[in-house]
Amino acid sequence: MKLILLFLYIVLVNNVITSQFLGICPFLGVSKKTDTAIGMGVAVTFVIALASIITYFIQIILDSYQLGYLQTIAFILVIASIVQFVEMVIKKTSPSLYQALGVFLPLITTNCAVLGVAISNIDNGYNFAESLACSFGTSFGFLISIVILAGIREKSEHNNIPKPFQGTPIVLVSAGLMAIAFTGFTGVI
């Protein structure tokens, strides 16, 4: 039950996009179409989950040799390796998705949400199961947020938006309203 509550808390209340404001670059850049947003969300989910698992064990090794100061460097190397693997798989299996994601796919390496989850799992003292719940919660929260914004952006293309708000301004307003909506879950969990 504790893991389910942690998962829901991370997805709804402490959402990586709407509460922590991590991973905003792909959130705004890849949310033009729902299909692309789902592809990015799944790629980020895979990277976050795998990175959290590997970094959990790397942190144990670093702590045992009192090398905790190498944490960030080690985590970035792990994340970069995983992203390269994901990029090769997507390029081979879905060239159209690879083209649609463009520069944002390799940018998962520098996506602060991925590194943020790995470090927050360690900082919060989560055990392995809690780290998994947190990483899947963060990933699912990212996926939900990017798909919702993509849906809003697709629907707003057919609306009569005043000229000063067209493009990026309406996207930022929509993202802000999403953040406000997600804060409504604060008292629930």
Side-chain angles (χ1 to χ4, degrees):
M1 184 67 172
K2 181 182 174 186
L3 294 177
I4 294 171
L5 287 175
L6 177 64
F7 177 83
L8 292 174
Y9 174 75
I10 298 292
V11 170
L12 299 173
V13 178
N14 199 18
N15 186 289
V16 70
I17 296 290
T18 61
S19 177
Q20 297 179 26
F21 307 111
L22 299 174
I24 298 293
C25 181
F27 173 69
L28 296 175
V30 185
S31 61
K32 292 178 183 170
K33 295 184 180 181
T34 309
D35 296 342
T36 310
I38 291 171
M40 176 58 92
V42 170
V44 168
T45 299
F46 181 76
V47 170
I48 286 178
L50 197 55
S52 293
I53 292 168
I54 295 170
T55 56
Y56 179 84
F57 293 110
I58 286 177
Q59 186 64 38
I60 292 171
I61 295 167
L62 291 175
D63 287 345
S64 67
Y65 291 105
Q66 299 176 347
L67 297 171
Y69 59 90
L70 294 175
Q71 175 189 50
T72 304
I73 294 169
F75 287 6
I76 289 173
L77 289 173
V78 167
I79 292 165
S81 301
I82 294 169
V83 169
Q84 289 302 310
F85 173 73
V86 168
E87 188 175 1
M88 289 186 302
V89 169
I90 291 176
K91 187 175 184 178
K92 200 70 154 165
T93 59
S94 180
S96 61
L97 178 61
Y98 179 78
Q99 290 294 330
L101 292 176
V103 71
F104 292 101
L105 187 58
L107 283 178
I108 294 174
T109 302
T110 59
N111 186 339
C112 52
V114 180
L115 182 60
V117 169
I119 291 175
S120 71
N121 284 344
I122 304 302
D123 289 347
N124 291 327
Y126 290 152
N127 61 31
F128 186 70
E130 291 168 337
S131 292
L132 282 178
C134 180
S135 58
F136 280 112
T138 301
S139 304
F140 192 64
F142 180 86
L143 177 66
I144 287 173
S145 297
I146 197 170
V147 169
I148 289 172
L149 185 64
I152 291 170
R153 289 179 79 171
E154 283 181 352
K155 294 288 183 185
S156 68
E157 286 179 5
H158 306 294
N159 294 339
N160 187 14
I161 298 171
K163 193 150 185 90
F165 285 101
Q166 290 178 0
T168 304
I170 196 66
V171 173
L172 294 175
V173 168
S174 300
L177 292 173
M178 280 178 54
I180 291 170
F182 271 80
T183 60
F185 293 110
T186 301
V188 176
I189 298 173

